[in-house]
Amino acid sequence: MADQRVAVVTGASRGIGRAIATTLAADGQAVVVGYAGNEAAAKEVVEEIAAAGGKAIAAQADVAEEDEVSAMFDLAVDAFGGVDVVVNSAGKLALSPIAELDLDVLDDLHRTNIRGSFVIARESARRIRAGGAIVMLSTSVVGLQFPNYGAYVASKAAVEAMMLILARELRGRDVTVNAVAPGPTATELFFEGKDEATIERLAKQPPLERLGAPADIADVVAFLAGPGGRWVNGQVLRANGGII
């Protein structure tokens, strides 16, 4: 349909990003499934969306590379006519006490999480159509301040600050800019390197006493990207089941 909204979702080949892509498609949006390296997984997402009657196309892009990101947006325009929603779910996680962190790991983490978010934000600001929505993924650990998350939280705090400024810079454009900050969410990335006791402890922290599911986060993003979220702008939504 001519008025179909078009979403670009980075990090969409697995985890929260995949859930966001399929949820936006179920809401009727055409989706560009952005991925860094796992082409097979991205194609699976495209096939899942198509099987459910939606429209999707895969696009490889390192979010920190401006030419690759520009090409991903070009693909969205060529395939579907424009860009109305951008969700930056691409990110890296590294856990270590600050005193012990290898600075090469820090640089790699921040290249994706800070530079990558900035590149996506910049391209979004240049390309997104009136009535659009930009959603960045942060983390509730910015507020919870768990040990070992220093480098990761530093990167996501930068994302939140960037988002708040972009929301104000887009004054008059009819574009919303928000961040969603998940709490512990049951993804491959979350389970990696954690023993059962740690997982159980984290699951018990919210008053709802469970881990978040990727769909829980996707539903929040879909709200911000849809008609119901038009009056929410320049905000960080901490989707964590009530952890304080």
Side-chain angles (χ1 to χ4, degrees), residues 10 62-66 69 72 88 90-91 108-124 136 159 162:
T10 69
D62 177 343
V63 292
E65 292 294 335
E66 59 180 320
V69 169
M72 179 171 61
N88 186 37
D108 182 60
L109 182 76
H110 285 192
R111 179 183 179 277
T112 296
N113 293 2
I114 299 179
R115 178 188 164 103
S117 294
F118 194 95
V119 172
I120 292 293
R122 187 179 72 166
E123 199 67 28
S124 300
M136 296 286 176
V159 170
M162 189 191 315

Side-chain angles (χ1 to χ4, degrees), residues 70-214:
S70 180
M72 179 171 61
F73 277 71
D74 285 343
L75 184 63
V77 173
D78 293 344
F80 302 125
V83 177
D84 303 286
V85 172
V86 180
V87 183
N88 186 37
S89 184
K92 287 187 175 179
L93 172 66
L95 299 180
S96 168
I98 290 171
E100 299 171 15
L101 183 67
D102 185 316
L103 292 182
D104 288 339
V105 174
L106 177 74
D107 290 343
D108 182 60
L109 182 76
H110 285 192
R111 179 183 179 277
T112 296
N113 293 2
I114 299 179
R115 178 188 164 103
S117 294
F118 194 95
V119 172
I120 292 293
R122 187 179 72 166
E123 199 67 28
S124 300
R126 293 172 175 178
R127 305 271 205 129
I128 200 161
R129 295 188 285 204
I134 300 168
V135 183
M136 296 286 176
L137 269 289
S138 179
T139 173
S140 284
V141 189
V142 171
L144 299 172
Q145 297 147 7
F146 294 155
N148 299 320
Y149 281 79
Y152 181 66
V153 165
S155 70
K156 291 300 190 177
V159 170
E160 291 188 8
M162 189 191 315
M163 176 274 304
L164 292 168
I165 289 169
L166 183 60
R168 286 146 182 81
E169 289 179 347
L170 295 184
R171 174 180 290 275
R173 292 271 303 275
D174 189 26
V175 172
T176 62
V177 187
N178 295 287
V180 173
T185 305
T187 64
E188 278 182 51
L189 191 65
F190 170 78
F191 290 121
E192 195 172 294
K194 294 184 176 69
D195 59 28
E196 286 298 323
T198 300
I199 293 167
E200 186 175 349
R201 176 176 56 80
L202 290 169
K204 290 293 186 183
Q205 285 192 320
L208 298 177
E209 294 193 335
R210 67 171 176 86
L211 294 174

